[in-house]
Amino acid sequence: MSTTPRVVVIGAGIVGANLADELTARGWDRVTVVDQGPLPLTGGSTSHAPGLVFQTNASKTMTAFASYTVEKLKAIDVDGAWCFNQVGGLEVATTPERLADLHRKQGWATSWGVEAQVVDVDECVRLHPLVDRDRILGGLHIPSDGLAKASRAVVALARRAEARGARFQGSTRVTGVEQSGGRVTGVRTPDGVLPADVVVSCAGFWGQELGEMVGMDVPLLPLAHQFVRTGQVPDLVGRNDELTEASLPILRHQDQDLYYREYGDCLGIGSYAHRPMPVDLRELPQGDGVRESAMPSMLPFTEEDFAPVWEESQRLLPSLRSSKIDSGFNGIFSFTPDGGPLVGESPDVRGFWIAEAVWVTHSAGVARAVAQLLVEGRSEVDLHGCDVHRFEDVQLAPEYVSETSQQNFVEVYDVLHPLQPRQSPRDLRVSPFHARQQELGAVFLEAGGWERPHWYEANAGLLDELPAEWVPPERDAWAGQFWSPIAAVEAWRTRTAVAMYDMTPLKRLEVSGPGALDLLQRLTTGQLDKSVGSVTYTLVLDEAGGIRSDLTVARLGEQLFQVGANGPLDSDHLRREAPEDGSVQIRDVTGGTCCIGLWGPRARDVVQGLSSDDFSNEGLKYFRARRARIGGVPVTAMRLSYVGELGWEIYTSADNGRRLWDVLEAAGQEHGIVAAGRAAFSSLRLEKGYRAWGSDMTTEHDPWEAGLGFAVRRQKGGFVGSQAVAGLSDATVSRRLSCLTVDDGRSVVLGSEPVFVDGRPAGYVTSAAFGHTVGRPIAYAWLPASATVGTRVEIGYFGDRVPATVVAEPLVDPEMTRLRG
């Protein structure tokens, strides 16, 4: 008798079928897949999906998901009929801005290992003869893209999973999720309860309803998306037989929010060019209604929304002028606040998982990741951008989910700058310093709902005082967006005088109780059993030694720790790992507190005049913390700096925040103080070689590859991942996070660009900025370990090659004298 867990997968579409296949391939044979619709076409998004698989994405993870989907679907069929037709993909540009963006996308493809070429007009027309050559400027061709026959793939995957013991059950509506003692025990249906140790909701746009059954927020919005099939297109007659169905590459006309695919001698046209159309699930058939409705996910076609799209399609593809629209529908699928899928386990009901808002493009990749999480405990592909717990509480509000998801629909094909903030909603979360920052002309960008100053227009007057060696070069139009030369002023004052940085948005967790030390010792690589007042930079690893986060832990009492974390995923992880006996309390104190980073060689002069507490080097050493009063404000001061200068992170309660800002600013006037923003901070961080988790390193990297082996205290032992890293060292790495400087001193890259060694793709950029202190652009990149200091490389930037050199790090103050002074 099998001893593997009993798994119930809710949803028999492309994600659920893939998951059943992945689980049974790993030996879990007690898998039941249920769906409220009839098998195999259950009426969800899979049933009507057009099946375009474009692999290239700004996200390395999403590209990996899509590439795995391609390889998996290529290898299966149904009685000889294809499940993936690798016709390739072609995205055409009709504007110079789009053509430039295609070069950027080609760079992503190269970074993530996908073959892609930017091709000229002649090659576009050769690949897709229906395209009007006079309308386009070029295109991006990816030969390995193609068409997934999602409905057919479901049949193939279900057959294979059933052969290994899985069971598929249609026309079965889930009415509840059984649980006991905080764990899932089964799934309730009209026919009784299906026992389960693990339940995975792959219900697509019905995912919110399933989440509600266990009190779990599933931040997705069902939206309708227009799709039509034309009548016969003269130029397609005779090109394809019934089995082939398509031979031209799938085509995207993103300047007009359109895509096209063949159906024999007809075309399918999909449009994002219409108004967002949110769908109320209460108006859709469910249960018996699904069985009676052939396709509840296909809503009536609204011709008026498609009329301008039809005209634009006829301009790009003149053959359509001899055709007409044969049929159309508004098909439902899921959007999320940031466009990513939703993967993860309920925080309250163990064993209840979701894999939602997943398109056909990424279906097999997501399913493999979830299967790996369930069977092996970790995914080989980093999932932080997909984890359902990545959102802050304010981002889970239905109003926020609705507005941002609709905006993502509108922008799905737009050319977006990596720093481009959303326009609305804004001012959701502001620090106590916000009014003062507005008075100083702060230019705010947004992250996690927080308003974050990137520079201050009040500092523009100091540009005339900027020494010549600090004056930054002019930037190209792309790199110059969401940037100002004022950042150089703020960096200069940080290095030569003193600056105030608003560090309030950084996640702060209070971990307390008699079990707090043991919990943190077990989860982190550092030695935290130190005296009260100690501050420790440490890593959190998974069982395989991958870096799941980095933390700064301050011991403020025998049983009280303040943890500087990266975001909601850290608080979710700590809460899951905390003992159930109540010996550890974990509180997110971010919103009730605030923080000023006061840094620069004159920082001590500012503080010492405001406090009777000892802020001397002897009184408060590097990486120590103490409670004190500054200008009468009770604070916790931590002697650390992520800009590489003398100073402190100064914390106080939110009600005291404005007063703290005011006393520091007033006292700092005679010392040349300025308020400084994230643009200067990012530059100074990279000059000092400090890593940013999520961009510079993830679970796919170990500490020595990331240059963080110093944060692992092996002699402590017993921490998560300790066995996996036992044999690792600088000598064992085959790749390394490396510091590059751009040879021409001008070209500023932004991240995700490919890096070439000896003319061949060898890695990719993680973080980049102009180094104002060193007067050169800086980039950190993953490269082979053989690319040692002095190695000449090239960075791909919009189709050009920018020469760069691997250099020793850190670039500024390698002896740490400025920090420890």
Side-chain angles (χ1 to χ4, degrees):
M1 179 178 293
S2 175
T3 59
T4 63
R6 298 166 299 179
V7 181
V8 173
V9 177
I10 304 172
I14 191 68
V15 182
N18 259 303
L19 180 57
D21 178 64
E22 295 287 340
L23 288 172
T24 55
R26 289 165 173 77
W28 281 24
D29 55 358
R30 295 199 291 174
V31 177
T32 301
V33 183
V34 297
D35 200 296
Q36 64 177 337
L39 300 177
L41 292 180
T42 62
S45 299
T46 299
S47 305
H48 64 70
L52 283 70
V53 178
F54 275 90
Q55 297 165 83
T56 302
N57 193 290
S59 162
K60 179 176 182 288
T61 292
M62 298 300 281
T63 301
F65 286 162
S67 295
Y68 180 72
T69 299
V70 167
E71 293 307 311
K72 182 173 182 178
L73 297 190
K74 270 172 52 181
I76 61 176
D77 64 78
V78 175
D79 303 327
W82 59 270
C83 292
F84 189 80
N85 185 359
Q86 200 161 36
V87 293
L90 179 65
E91 182 178 328
V92 293
T94 59
T95 64
E97 294 77 14
R98 180 67 62 180
L99 185 61
D101 193 55
L102 296 187
H103 283 285
R104 183 171 67 123
K105 289 182 176 178
Q106 193 273 337
W108 294 343
T110 303
S111 291
W112 316 143
V114 176
E115 181 189 350
Q117 303 86 30
V118 175
V119 296
D120 61 17
V121 172
D122 288 343
E123 182 64 6
C124 288
V125 175
R126 188 192 71 79
L127 291 166
H128 203 300
L130 273 62
V131 172
D132 183 353
R133 66 168 51 250
D134 294 330
R135 297 279 300 167
I136 64 173
L137 303 177
L140 177 68
H141 180 224
I142 301 179
S144 56
D145 287 346
L147 292 166
K149 189 79 166 181
S151 56
R152 188 181 291 157
V154 164
V155 173
L157 294 165
R159 285 181 182 178
R160 192 158 70 179
E162 287 172 329
R164 303 187 191 116
R167 187 164 63 95
F168 281 69
Q169 184 174 318
S171 301
T172 302
R173 188 182 181 207
V174 171
T175 58
V177 176
E178 301 285 305
Q179 52 183 292
S180 176
R183 285 205 61 88
V184 70
T185 59
V187 167
R188 195 182 318 127
T189 76
D191 300 322
V193 174
L194 296 170
D197 305 299
V198 175
V199 174
V200 187
S201 175
C202 304
F205 55 80
W206 278 290
Q208 278 184 315
E209 286 193 352
L210 272 298
E212 288 172 359
M213 293 180 182
V214 296
M216 182 179 182
D217 289 313
V218 180
L220 64 79
L221 180 72
L223 285 163
H225 160 60
Q226 289 203 303
F227 190 81
V228 305
R229 288 179 70 152
T230 71
Q232 190 179 74
V233 178
D235 288 345
L236 292 179
V237 174
R239 287 186 59 92
N240 305 299
D241 56 39
E242 291 185 8
L243 293 178
T244 304
E245 195 172 284
S247 56
L248 294 177
I250 50 179
L251 180 67
R252 289 202 292 186
H253 180 21
Q254 293 192 306
D255 286 321
Q256 294 294 329
D257 298 317
L258 293 168
Y259 63 80
Y260 307 87
R261 58 150 297 174
E262 282 177 283
Y263 288 101
D265 56 7
C266 306
L267 275 185
I269 306 173
S271 170
Y272 294 99
H274 54 81
R275 59 193 168 90
M277 303 178 189
V279 176
D280 187 341
L281 297 184
R282 293 170 297 184
E283 298 176 1
L284 300 181
Q286 298 191 35
D288 291 340
V290 171
R291 293 195 290 271
E292 295 162 2
S293 173
M295 211 70 76
S297 60
M298 295 173 64
L299 302 181
F301 186 58
T302 50
E303 294 183 20
E304 64 278 12
D305 291 301
F306 199 79
V309 166
W310 179 239
E311 293 180 9
E312 184 58 44
S313 294
Q314 290 174 320
R315 282 192 282 270
L316 181 71
L317 307 172
S319 293
L320 293 180
R321 296 168 189 166
S322 302
S323 184
K324 62 179 181 179
I325 297 172
D326 182 70
S327 62
F329 64 92
N330 293 357
I332 307 173
F333 65 148
S334 305
F335 269 77
T336 61
D338 61 3
L342 306 172
V343 173
E345 185 183 22
S346 162
D348 303 312
V349 181
R350 297 295 175 94
F352 183 88
W353 291 73
I354 69 167
E356 305 290 19
V358 181
W359 296 3
V360 171
T361 303
H362 309 108
S363 56
V366 169
R368 178 179 64 169
V370 174
Q372 288 175 338
L373 286 170
L374 293 174
V375 179
E376 301 153 28
R378 74 183 296 269
S379 162
E380 66 185 75
V381 175
D382 170 63
L383 298 180
H384 81 272
C386 307
D387 194 307
V388 66
H389 304 296
R390 65 189 181 269
F391 299 104
E392 298 283 353
D393 284 346
V394 70
Q395 296 174 302
L396 298 174
E399 298 83 0
Y400 182 93
V401 173
S402 178
E403 181 177 349
T404 55
S405 297
Q406 290 184 61
Q407 189 60 30
N408 275 327
F409 180 93
V410 171
E411 295 177 346
V412 67
Y413 279 173
D414 287 0
V415 177
L416 299 177
H417 192 277
L419 290 177
Q420 188 163 325
R422 64 175 77 256
Q423 296 303 306
S424 176
R426 293 294 295 268
D427 293 330
L428 294 178
R429 308 173 82 186
V430 298
S431 79
F433 321 130
H434 189 251
R436 293 292 184 255
Q437 292 166 345
Q438 288 180 309
E439 291 168 2
L440 294 172
V443 175
F444 294 97
L445 302 187
E446 178 269 347
W450 284 102
E451 296 297 320
R452 306 201 303 180
H454 272 241
W455 65 87
Y456 293 85
E457 291 293 334
N459 294 327
L462 296 173
L463 282 167
D464 292 337
E465 300 179 21
L466 197 62
E469 65 271 20
W470 282 84
V471 176
E474 290 292 323
R475 295 193 176 198
D476 67 77
W478 182 255
Q481 292 186 58
F482 309 104
W483 175 83
S484 168
I486 295 171
V489 168
E490 296 171 4
W492 167 57
R493 281 296 180 91
T494 307
R495 290 281 191 237
T496 60
V498 60
M500 298 166 56
Y501 290 81
D502 182 0
M503 305 303 288
T504 302
L506 300 184
K507 178 73 71 178
R508 289 177 293 285
L509 305 173
E510 183 182 275
V511 182
S512 61
L517 176 61
D518 288 343
L519 173 67
L520 292 172
Q521 283 281 79
R522 179 171 62 85
L523 294 183
T524 70
T525 62
Q527 177 55 263
L528 303 182
D529 191 4
K530 297 188 288 192
S531 62
V532 172
S534 64
V535 181
T536 306
Y537 174 78
T538 186
L539 305 177
V540 180
L541 305 182
D542 61 22
E543 292 287 358
I547 304 171
R548 67 180 305 152
S549 191
D550 63 341
L551 309 175
T552 302
V553 182
R555 190 170 195 177
L556 303 181
E558 288 295 329
Q559 298 182 2
L560 174 63
F561 298 82
Q562 180 172 308
V563 177
N566 283 300
L569 296 184
D570 291 324
S571 51
D572 178 67
H573 181 58
L574 287 173
R575 290 190 175 101
R576 289 177 187 279
E577 294 294 329
E580 297 180 359
D581 60 7
S583 62
V584 180
Q585 292 79 50
I586 299 167
R587 289 199 310 135
D588 185 340
V589 298
T590 311
T593 57
C594 58
C595 178
I596 292 175
L598 185 75
W599 295 311
R602 306 296 298 276
R604 185 174 282 127
D605 298 328
V606 174
V607 169
Q608 201 61 79
L610 291 170
S611 179
S612 60
D613 294 285
D614 188 358
F615 280 86
S616 70
N617 200 40
E618 296 73 26
L620 185 55
K621 295 181 178 179
Y622 186 55
F623 263 76
R624 296 289 297 179
R626 68 177 301 166
R627 298 191 191 280
R629 290 186 184 275
I630 295 176
V633 178
V635 303
T636 299
M638 297 186 192
R639 175 84 184 278
L640 64 156
S641 163
Y642 288 99
V643 299
E645 293 294 330
L646 168 70
W648 305 269
E649 290 182 359
I650 305 173
Y651 297 90
T652 191
S653 56
D655 58 324
N656 284 309
R658 184 181 294 193
R659 183 179 172 202
L660 177 64
W661 179 283
D662 288 345
V663 297
L664 289 174
E665 184 180 42
Q669 292 305 306
E670 63 180 290
H671 303 293
I673 198 168
V674 296
R678 296 293 297 185
F681 178 91
S682 296
S683 170
L684 299 170
R685 171 183 80 82
L686 288 181
E687 290 183 327
K688 192 59 185 169
Y690 292 141
R691 277 61 168 147
W693 185 85
S695 54
D696 293 323
M697 73 279 191
T698 68
T699 54
E700 296 181 10
H701 311 106
D702 73 49
W704 284 268
E705 292 174 329
L708 298 174
F710 68 86
V712 180
R713 296 291 182 264
R714 282 195 235 262
Q715 62 272 25
K716 180 180 83 164
F719 57 86
V720 173
S722 56
Q723 292 183 345
V725 302
L728 300 181
S729 70
D730 289 331
T732 65
V733 302
S734 60
R735 58 179 176 174
R736 183 178 288 115
L737 186 63
S738 303
C739 182
L740 313 177
T741 57
V742 174
D743 293 349
D744 67 12
R746 300 181 58 86
S747 301
V748 178
V749 299
L750 298 179
S752 299
E753 296 90 354
V755 181
F756 300 83
V757 178
D758 296 328
R760 293 186 296 273
Y764 58 92
V765 173
T766 59
S767 295
F770 187 86
H772 297 291
T773 315
V774 298
R776 287 171 290 169
I778 306 166
Y780 272 77
W782 282 102
L783 292 176
S786 57
T788 54
V789 171
T791 301
R792 303 293 296 275
V793 302
E794 293 176 309
I795 303 172
Y797 186 67
F798 287 91
D800 294 327
R801 299 282 182 92
V802 177
T805 303
V806 179
V807 295
E809 58 167 334
L811 293 170
V812 172
D813 192 26
E815 298 83 14
M816 303 283 282
T817 56
R818 301 171 74 93
L819 277 168
R820 297 179 183 276

